[in-house]
Amino acid sequence: MFVRLFSFYKKVTMILNPRQRRLLDAVRQQLTVSVEELAQQLGVTPQTVRRDVKQMEEARLLARYHGGVGLPSSVENIDYSQRQVFNSEAKRRIAGAVAQQVPHGCSLLINIGTTTEEVARALGQHAGLHVVTNNLNVAAILADNPGCEVIVAGGVVRGRDRGIVGEATIDFIRQFKVDIGIIGISSIDEDGSLRDFDAREVRVAQAIIEQSREVWLVADQHKFGRKALVRLADLAQVDMLFTDAPPPPRFARVLRDAAVKVVVAA
């Protein structure tokens, strides 16, 4: 029994090769697809696809269902260490695009997330910043910038990602009104809703939106159409979206209707 439980809960960190990234993209676009179809699209054997799918299922990036391969349940996010390495180059490009737009001397609110951590790294040379964050990783990164004042929210620290959440965090954030709130999320749904997995994290992000004169969303292309459980906000509450590829047509229409300026990182 112990062995089975250990196997179920163990964390697997996986760095995807180019074929596996294409496989994941195909599943995200089609939601459920057979092994044979994937093999045809990728130009490999079904055995290769099955081997890749098995590894990606262990990493909780994919799930096997009757009739094909799909995305895992929307109830739980993948492990934080996996998210740190997944699509990391795209996140760095997004962060660079954000840094080009952030003026020196402004005030920021930055939430939990691997992409927002990359944004913090990209702001390493900015001067006169005042940053309020509930992300200890962001705080540690920006603390190395002598031209940046870092203010850390109080609350409960989550060991898995060093995010700070809870009622005390929300009350703390509501003391501030900043120029720009920079938020990361887990999902952009087709109806224009922004979603995440943790209700406590969502409530903090909602407070950040309320206390920001402008809201900038950072999200790589894999967030489009991904399923997550908890509604955070609507695209209409966002001023700018920074991403790494042009949004799919159905999302481009939603973004246009919501008057969101889209910046595609080069």
Side-chain angles (χ1 to χ4, degrees):
M1 179 67 174
F2 174 80
V3 174
R4 287 199 300 271
L5 286 173
F6 177 81
S7 176
F8 180 79
Y9 284 111
K10 73 176 180 179
K11 307 297 188 196
V12 179
T13 299
M14 182 177 185
I15 300 175
L16 301 181
N17 63 39
R19 182 187 64 249
Q20 290 164 339
R21 285 197 293 269
R22 288 173 57 207
L23 193 159
L24 184 59
D25 287 342
V27 175
R28 288 187 183 279
Q29 290 170 12
Q30 297 173 247
L31 299 183
T32 303
V33 58
S34 71
V35 169
E36 290 70 22
E37 288 178 275
L38 287 168
Q40 188 173 18
Q41 289 182 38
L42 300 174
V44 297
T45 66
Q47 289 77 14
T48 297
V49 171
R50 290 190 184 95
R51 185 170 59 249
D52 284 344
V53 168
K54 184 177 185 296
Q55 293 174 1
M56 295 167 76
E57 185 178 36
E58 289 173 351
R60 289 176 24 212
L61 296 172
L62 292 177
R64 285 179 288 188
Y65 300 102
H66 179 68
V69 180
L71 298 176
S73 166
S74 64
V75 174
E76 184 179 10
N77 204 356
I78 62 175
D79 186 66
Y80 196 75
S81 60
Q82 293 170 245
R83 283 183 278 150
Q84 286 180 309
V85 298
F86 179 66
N87 221 17
S88 57
E89 176 55 35
K91 293 172 184 177
R92 282 191 287 271
R93 288 193 284 114
I94 291 169
V98 172
Q100 290 178 8
Q101 300 274 352
V102 172
H104 295 278
C106 74
S107 56
L108 305 170
L109 269 163
I110 302 178
N111 79 334
I112 302 167
T114 56
T115 309
T116 53
E117 288 176 23
E118 289 298 337
V119 171
R121 291 187 180 90
L123 293 173
Q125 302 304 313
H126 275 58
L129 295 181
H130 303 273
V131 179
V132 183
T133 184
N134 68 318
N135 185 333
L136 288 180
N137 292 330
V138 164
I141 292 165
L142 286 173
D144 290 332
N145 179 353
C148 180
E149 177 187 61
V150 182
I151 304 168
V152 181
V156 178
V157 178
R158 300 191 311 200
R160 68 176 185 266
D161 59 7
R162 297 184 180 180
I164 304 172
V165 295
E167 293 300 323
T169 313
I170 295 167
D171 291 341
F172 185 88
I173 286 171
R174 284 177 175 159
Q175 299 178 65
F176 300 90
K177 192 72 175 181
V178 301
D179 298 317
I180 305 165
I182 300 176
I183 62 169
I185 47 87
S186 294
S187 160
I188 303 175
D189 214 335
E190 291 184 27
D191 64 0
S193 63
L194 309 179
R195 296 184 173 273
D196 222 304
F197 293 90
D198 188 311
R200 294 185 303 168
E201 184 177 336
V202 160
R203 292 196 63 203
V204 176
Q206 288 169 338
I208 290 174
I209 290 173
E210 292 167 3
Q211 302 307 121
S212 302
R213 296 182 179 90
E214 285 192 25
V215 177
W216 294 4
L217 176 65
V218 292
D220 66 68
Q221 60 182 301
H222 295 99
K223 303 298 174 62
F224 291 103
R226 189 183 183 201
K227 302 301 178 186
L229 191 64
V230 187
R231 181 186 173 279
L232 190 158
D234 291 315
L235 280 172
Q237 296 170 263
V238 172
D239 296 286
M240 297 179 69
L241 165 66
F242 293 81
T243 187
D244 62 315
R250 61 185 183 279
F251 290 97
R253 289 192 294 271
V254 175
L255 287 159
R256 186 169 56 250
D257 292 343
V260 178
K261 180 180 178 181
V262 178
V263 176
V264 178

